[in-house]
Amino acid sequence: MAQNEFSEPHRVVYYEADDTGHLTLAMLIDLFVLVSEDQNTALHLTPDDIHRLGVGWVVTQYHLQINRLPRINERVTLKTRATAFNKYFAYREYWLLDDMGQQLAYGEGIWVTMSYATRKIATIPAEIMQPYGTAPVKRLPRLPRPERLDLAATSVAQPYTVRYFDIDENGHVNNAHYFDWMLDALPADWLRQHQAVDVRIRFENEVKYGHQVTSEVVHSTATTTQHTVKVGATTAVLATIEWQNR
């Protein structure tokens, strides 16, 4: 396996699943982040090493393609690759494989380093990328963007207050929590009968402890939902999800 690739086994446990027994979208994101963090550990690149440089990793965009979400007690393999980077952006890939090596889900993510002092995008420190052995590139792959909410369509809105336990070590909402907020605006019976197969999500603004947020969803087609999470009039997250019957 190349230096910039890493994989590890995992057993899906009950608290990673919904009431159908399948892994949730939020937990899929958590597992993808977990395998990348474990890759960092294997490369002796600890969170403290990164924090000492005054920055933290922040994802700006994901594209997920899902064949099937595994069930409780399934044994799977998590795999990631630090594929490419340039001065400001890093492109990382993820795979979720079954016990036969067949692809269950594939993910792409665009990451940046955020300055803790300014809360803005910072140049990626060379010390962070060096352990991966990945060569810099001029252009990164472009991920498909989510659609803006159709304001003329009938929407459902759900309010939330950001809790202490929604916050991660970067001082803002853990990205996985947005998936729970977005999907919670859909009816439970509909969620039980459908599985997401394509997810395009873009993180546009930070959400912090104590903020009041609104999760809004529109069915643009019978199998497509458009989502936004806002703080007041400010859009924090946009997403478009394609679904199929389970």
Side-chain angles (χ1 to χ4, degrees):
M1 183 177 295
Q3 183 177 340
N4 64 350
E5 294 183 358
F6 181 83
S7 65
E8 62 186 359
H10 180 77
R11 180 174 66 90
V12 178
V13 293
Y14 72 93
Y15 55 79
E16 297 171 336
D18 59 21
D19 68 357
T20 71
H22 292 88
L23 186 75
T24 68
L25 274 181
M27 282 296 174
L28 176 63
I29 291 297
D30 277 337
L31 293 181
F32 281 167
V33 174
L34 173 65
V35 69
S36 61
E37 290 288 340
D38 288 346
Q39 180 185 30
N40 291 344
T41 300
L43 294 173
H44 307 290
L45 187 62
T46 70
D48 286 344
D49 293 330
I50 299 172
H51 294 167
R52 276 194 289 270
L53 298 170
V55 298
W57 280 114
V58 178
V59 67
T60 63
Q61 198 172 350
Y62 280 125
H63 180 217
L64 308 176
Q65 296 170 282
I66 301 164
N67 297 324
R68 178 177 70 83
L69 290 168
R71 298 182 62 90
I72 295 170
N73 286 325
E74 274 197 62
R75 296 188 179 276
V76 296
T77 296
L78 310 173
K79 180 181 174 181
T80 190
R81 179 167 60 212
T83 307
F85 75 101
N86 59 25
K87 185 176 181 180
Y88 290 108
F89 300 96
Y91 172 73
R92 182 180 279 275
E93 295 176 275
Y94 309 87
W95 291 265
L96 180 68
L97 310 172
D98 67 15
D99 59 357
M100 300 296 290
Q102 297 298 307
Q103 182 173 298
L104 298 176
Y106 170 72
E108 306 168 274
I110 300 295
W111 292 78
V112 300
T113 48
M114 178 190 70
S115 165
Y116 288 129
T118 66
R119 307 301 292 182
K120 295 180 179 180
I121 293 175
T123 302
I124 298 174
E127 301 94 316
I128 291 180
M129 297 308 303
Q130 187 277 330
Y132 297 108
T134 301
V137 297
K138 290 185 177 180
R139 292 187 179 182
L140 297 181
R142 289 195 174 186
L143 274 57
R145 291 181 173 232
E147 301 165 10
R148 294 277 169 181
L149 225 61
D150 181 358
L151 299 178
T154 302
S155 64
V156 174
Q158 186 82 18
Y160 297 93
T161 299
V162 180
R163 309 166 304 168
Y164 171 78
F165 294 104
D166 295 323
I167 304 301
D168 64 19
E169 64 181 354
N170 283 329
H172 57 209
V173 171
N174 181 312
N175 290 317
H177 289 285
Y178 290 109
F179 287 87
D180 286 337
W181 292 342
M182 291 188 306
L183 270 57
D184 192 43
L186 292 166
D189 285 343
W190 195 89
L191 288 169
R192 293 185 183 110
Q193 296 166 12
H194 294 82
Q195 175 197 283
V197 293
D198 189 277
V199 180
R200 290 170 279 155
I201 185 167
R202 182 176 175 85
F203 304 93
E204 298 196 345
N205 288 286
E206 286 188 293
V207 176
K208 298 181 179 180
Y209 173 64
H211 279 172
Q212 305 294 312
V213 303
T214 301
S215 171
E216 191 171 0
V217 61
V218 168
H219 272 272
S220 54
T221 73
T223 57
T224 305
T225 55
Q226 296 169 264
H227 302 259
T228 185
V229 177
K230 291 184 176 181
V231 179
T234 301
T235 298
V237 172
L238 282 172
T240 299
I241 305 179
E242 302 287 344
W243 303 81
Q244 68 179 17
N245 293 329
R246 288 193 188 271

